Amino acid sequence: MLAALSRVKIPRRPSSELLLRCIFEQKVERGELSPLTLSSVTCSRKVGGVRDVSTSSTLCTKVRGNSKKREMSEKKLTRHFVDHRRVKLVAGSGGKGASSFHSEPRKEWGGPDGGNGGDGGSIIIKADRFVKSLAQVVPVYKGEDGESGGSKNCYGRNGSPTYIRVPLGTVVKEQGKTILDMTEHGQEYLAAFGGAGGKGNRFFLSNENRSPMTATPGITGQERLLQLELRTMAHAGLVGFPNAGKSSLLRAITNARPAVAAYPFTTLNPHVGIVKYRDHEQVAVADIPGIIRGAHLNRGLGISFLRHIERCRFLLFVLDLSAPEPWTQLQHLRYELDQYEPGLSQRPQAIIANKMDLSEAQEKLETLKSHVSQRVIPVSALTGQNTEELILHLRELYDGYLQGGGNG
């Protein structure tokens, strides 16, 4: 019986070295590891029943593909872009004052020693050039309350101020009236005052009242309801109907990369690009989302993006030469702007005839020039044709804007 049992082979457990090698071979087959890293595995001798495994630094690395950062789609960009917020601000309340008397051995008449409460924290709106949207602004802000006073003439700690960081170009409104236009980096606006702290009974000590018992509570912080609107900070604005090629034109003259597609309303939020000149002057150009008829009545994207044109000092009307009558687009665009704000279409402007690469574009260009009295710049955003003339004319408009006292 014992001899029969001795002939039975007991299966041995695989060593840790064998298990590691099997794991590495599987990773090589899936392409997660390079075949060269398999040979770099070395095992030391067994110490205390455990093998110490040492590997090279390349063993834990994975085979990386193309590390080029993928461009975010227009839908995802719109999700993170917010140009208006309605916020409720409640500043911190002041801490209450303390009512106490000094207590010390062999000192019967110590007197009042209640300290004052701390002031509540205020809420401050601050302009920050590194913030690009109002998406981080929450609907309600509550300031920090001040701490209550204590005995031994201890004053309560003041509440820390709460900062709301907004992008440049944010307009602060209350009940429809503009309060402040934040156009400079670091500009601050004290939106809600914190309440003052209450007085302790030490404050009421006088010759007539040597043992006051009075202590006052803190004052409630200020409460306000404000509207924050973001208006794009740009010198020039590209204005046109949907699918007129505004985004393609912005890509052709600047380094901005807005989404481009062969369907209308591709651009759902404003994009700003910078045109750089040899004398290191820079002109900001904004791509305004497409305007349709009745936009001043809040149709389509409506007035939510018409307000971005208000801050542009000069306008670039982009006309689509593939339309049957492109000169009528100019009339409708000016009408929508004037209905939104009288005189808005009378700002310094340029007329851009886009899509000159089409076969019928030259004939429509001559008809367009006969219908308008201003200068018409024919370009092709797809091929880059005649974009140099547009860039030079853009500089002329910018220099005229500066000579007119618009250096703010």
Side-chain angles (χ1 to χ4, degrees):
M1 184 66 178
L2 294 176
L5 291 175
S6 62
R7 289 194 296 269
V8 177
K9 293 184 178 181
I10 301 175
R12 298 177 58 185
R13 298 178 61 184
S15 63
S16 58
E17 179 181 355
L18 182 59
L19 290 175
L20 286 175
R21 189 172 186 85
C22 292
I23 294 174
F24 294 147
E25 288 178 352
Q26 293 177 1
K27 290 183 175 291
V28 170
E29 292 177 359
R30 291 196 300 264
E32 298 180 2
L33 291 177
S34 174
L36 297 178
T37 60
L38 186 61
S39 61
S40 63
V41 180
T42 59
C43 297
S44 64
R45 60 183 178 179
K46 192 174 183 180
V47 180
V50 179
R51 290 180 181 270
D52 297 330
V53 181
S54 63
T55 61
S56 66
S57 60
T58 59
L59 181 63
C60 300
T61 60
K62 295 183 178 181
V63 179
R64 296 185 178 181
N66 189 8
S67 59
K68 184 179 178 181
K69 187 176 180 181
R70 299 177 62 183
E71 293 185 1
M72 190 176 287
S73 64
E74 186 71 21
K75 186 176 181 180
K76 292 183 178 180
L77 286 172
T78 306
R79 189 181 307 165
H80 300 288
F81 182 86
V82 179
D83 62 349
H84 62 280
R85 282 289 194 193
R86 186 178 181 182
V87 294
K88 181 181 180 180
L89 309 180
V90 182
S93 302
K96 61 181 180 180
S99 178
S100 63
F101 290 87
H102 184 69
S103 177
E104 187 178 347
R106 295 180 297 277
K107 193 171 184 181
E108 184 177 1
W109 310 103
D113 66 349
N116 300 338
D119 297 335
S122 302
I123 300 179
I124 302 173
I125 301 176
K126 185 175 183 179
D128 191 346
R129 64 183 179 184
F130 299 106
V131 180
K132 303 302 180 183
S133 172
L134 297 176
Q136 303 299 328
V137 178
V138 297
V140 179
Y141 283 90
K142 178 68 171 68
E144 183 180 358
D145 295 335
E147 293 185 355
S148 302
S151 59
K152 299 181 180 179
N153 295 320
C154 291
Y155 282 40
R157 185 176 64 89
N158 295 334
S160 301
T162 302
Y163 285 91
I164 305 176
R165 300 189 180 274
V166 297
L168 298 182
T170 302
V171 179
V172 183
K173 293 184 177 182
E174 186 175 16
Q175 296 180 355
K177 297 181 180 179
T178 302
I179 301 175
L180 183 66
D181 189 358
M182 311 191 73
T183 58
E184 298 180 2
H185 177 68
Q187 183 179 357
E188 295 183 358
Y189 171 62
L190 186 56
F193 290 91
K199 303 298 182 182
N201 62 341
R202 172 73 182 182
F203 177 81
F204 299 98
L205 179 64
S206 63
N207 292 331
E208 291 78 14
N209 188 3
R210 303 304 299 171
S211 58
M213 302 287 293
T214 305
T216 60
I219 300 176
T220 305
Q222 186 181 11
E223 184 174 341
R224 299 180 70 180
L225 186 62
L226 300 179
Q227 294 85 32
L228 303 180
E229 293 183 1
L230 174 60
R231 298 178 182 176
T232 305
M233 298 285 291
H235 301 104
L238 296 174
V239 184
F241 282 101
N243 210 24
K246 301 182 296 298
S247 299
S248 301
L249 187 60
L250 187 67
R251 294 171 69 104
I253 63 177
T254 68
N255 291 329
R257 289 295 176 264
V260 175
Y263 53 84
F265 295 109
T266 307
T267 302
L268 299 178
N269 57 31
H271 294 273
V272 179
I274 304 297
V275 180
K276 299 180 180 180
Y277 295 90
R278 294 183 178 179
D279 58 351
H280 305 288
E281 194 68 64
Q282 297 181 355
V283 178
V285 181
D287 174 19
I288 309 299
I291 299 174
I292 65 173
R293 299 182 185 180
H296 67 281
L297 301 176
N298 210 16
R299 294 177 182 172
L301 296 178
I303 61 176
S304 60
F305 291 111
L306 275 174
R307 60 168 167 263
H308 291 279
I309 307 177
E310 292 183 49
R311 201 180 294 275
C312 299
R313 297 299 93 192
F314 37 94
L315 308 176
L316 304 178
F317 290 102
V318 182
L319 305 182
D320 185 5
L321 290 184
S322 64
E325 297 180 351
W327 50 89
T328 60
Q329 295 184 357
L330 181 62
Q331 301 173 2
H332 293 308
L333 288 173
R334 288 175 174 173
Y335 174 77
E336 294 296 333
L337 296 183
D338 287 334
Q339 291 297 315
Y340 175 73
E341 180 182 337
L344 184 59
S345 65
Q346 304 302 321
R347 294 184 180 182
Q349 57 191 252
I351 301 175
I352 303 172
N354 194 17
K355 302 184 180 181
M356 283 297 298
D357 52 294
L358 301 177
S359 58
E360 69 276 7
Q362 188 63 39
E363 180 181 353
K364 292 182 179 180
L365 176 63
E366 300 299 330
T367 309
L368 174 63
K369 290 182 178 180
S370 62
H371 282 80
V372 298
S373 58
Q374 293 93 341
R375 176 183 177 183
V376 179
I377 303 177
V379 298
S380 175
L382 180 63
T383 62
Q385 174 187 350
N386 206 29
T387 54
E388 296 83 2
E389 181 182 354
L390 173 60
I391 294 176
L392 293 177
H393 185 64
L394 188 64
R395 181 59 187 271
E396 295 176 3
L397 293 173
Y398 178 73
D399 292 340
Y401 162 65
L402 294 182
Q403 294 176 1
N407 55 359

